Amino acid sequence: TVRGLAQQPESEAAAPTAAEPEGEEEDDETEEEEIPEDLAHLSPEQQQTRIKMRAFYQMGLGTALVLLFSDPMVSVMSNVGTRTGISSFYISFILAPLASNASEVIASYNYALKKTRKTITI
């Protein structure tokens, strides 16, 4: 376990609570902290240090990518508006959010296509 988090015994984890209806106990899985395999052999303090180092690295990499691609993206959007004759207002408030959130739009569309009870309640 990760320091500060204790695991519940199987009997307690499986028992439904008052706020949770008995029929839904099978649908909800017990949340456990998953530790990457390459960190499992380290002490909890070392695990926390490595996880924080990875998080800072990934955030730094993401920031660098945004800095690298944001200026060209703005130039492309500006050229699209100029060539199509669409006002920059509409480009910045309609096209830019769709372009920057395309993965979320596609994921939402795919969930909508499934139309199951589980995907609706996500």
Side-chain angles (χ1 to χ4, degrees):
T1 62
V2 177
R3 186 176 63 175
L5 299 176
Q7 281 186 305
Q8 292 180 343
E10 291 279 334
S11 60
E12 289 180 25
T17 61
E20 179 181 290
E22 288 185 35
E24 293 183 19
E25 68 185 48
E26 295 173 5
D27 294 338
D28 297 332
E29 295 180 14
T30 305
E31 289 188 32
E32 292 185 18
E33 293 291 325
E34 292 186 26
I35 299 173
E37 291 179 18
D38 61 325
L39 301 179
H41 68 283
L42 300 173
S43 71
E45 292 83 17
Q46 290 173 329
Q47 289 175 358
Q48 289 293 321
T49 302
R50 291 273 178 94
I51 289 171
K52 288 176 185 176
M53 286 174 51
R54 284 184 187 177
F56 286 125
Y57 170 75
Q58 289 178 352
M59 289 185 64
L61 182 63
T63 302
L65 289 173
V66 167
L67 291 172
L68 180 67
F69 291 109
S70 62
D71 192 39
M73 178 81 164
V74 169
S75 297
V76 167
M77 294 276 182
S78 178
N79 285 336
V80 167
T82 302
R83 291 181 182 190
T84 60
I86 299 173
S87 168
S88 62
F89 175 81
Y90 292 111
I91 295 290
S92 62
F93 282 98
I94 295 173
L95 187 58
L98 283 176
S100 65
N101 295 320
S103 63
E104 287 86 359
V105 171
I106 292 168
S108 299
Y109 179 73
N110 288 335
Y111 277 124
L113 287 179
K114 291 180 183 178
K115 294 182 185 175
T116 64
R117 185 178 186 106
K118 186 175 182 178
T119 59
I120 291 171
T121 58
I122 288 180

